[in-house]
Amino acid sequence: MMSSDRLITIIRSFLFSRTNKEFLIFLFFLALSGVFWLLMTLNETYEREVTVPVSITNVPSDIMLTSDETDTVKVVIRDRGIVLLTYMYGEALKHIGASFKNYNQSGGTGSIPASELAKILQQKMAASSKIVSIKPDKLKFFYNTGACKRVPVRWRGRVIPEHLYFLSHVSYEPDSVTVYATEERLDSIYLLYTEPLNHVGFRDTLVVDCRLRKMEGVKMVPDHVKATFFTDVLTEGVVENIPIQGINLPKNKVLRTFPAKASVKFVTGVNVYRTLTPSNFTVIADYNELRDHPSEKCTLYLQKVPQSVTRAALVTKQVDYLIEEVAE
């Protein structure tokens, strides 16, 4: 086994041989020139875009912001490269604050112009730095004094099960969220929708954590829900013995049809089909139609079907009938 002294001697001889010595000298001057080049480069003047978070501060306790508490602006700054590096990777522009009372306006809104943002930024920047541009040209924020209401949630997007499957039911957790906004805005909000979903080709129950679509000046608590999509296998079915009901009949008249009951065919899921009864459907015949357009047969109409049923149709659309007068 080679001793440590022997190993050190070999390494020293290798490093300080004439060839390697010249190579080490070359590396030293190469590194030195790189350092000088870097210093010269960082001393040049550049323009760089920096993203700066801006938050609303000193918000009164009786005020609730209904917009995001923190927004961002993109600032183009001109200065020497070494200074720009401190802005890009340092803490100086990691965050700035704007006081609520300075920019509050009536009507539940506030606005911070780019000129004001420039003043706030300049206080955190070196004297040599110049702001070239700020985007957007102003930041808006919204607030209210606690007005809110509960609003139900619905999904939006593309949720399509495999062939021969369909969505039998969708549940939400929670099924409604608390919305904070101005009174006028609250009056116009009846439903909240998720951000667009895209799920295709599934057959088992699908559970998705959905973020709610943002609305300007509206705060939602919570801002996301869990949507569960239940699937079922499609099947064709028929429900028979549905009573035919006469509508718009005078008090002294009775409509009798032959037969007195109808059948409906439809497409639904296997699990739904097992739960369906004649009471889930309503079949009618309209007396006004028979009075205005007398005919040997009366036309039947399917007035009500369950939401989980598609392509519902009457097996027989016309039947014989008789209108009887009854004593009042």
Side-chain angles (χ1 to χ4, degrees), residues 56-60 98-105 141:
I56 309 302
T57 60
N58 301 320
V59 179
S99 179
F100 175 87
K101 65 179 181 179
N102 292 338
Y103 306 103
N104 172 34
Q105 299 171 350
F141 61 90

Side-chain angles (χ1 to χ4, degrees), residues 51 90 125 133 251 278 317:
T51 299
M125 294 164 53
S133 65
K251 292 182 179 180
K317 296 184 179 180

Side-chain angles (χ1 to χ4, degrees), residues 1-4 6-7 10:
M1 185 175 179
M2 187 179 298
S3 66
S4 58
R6 172 70 173 167
L7 182 60
I10 293 174

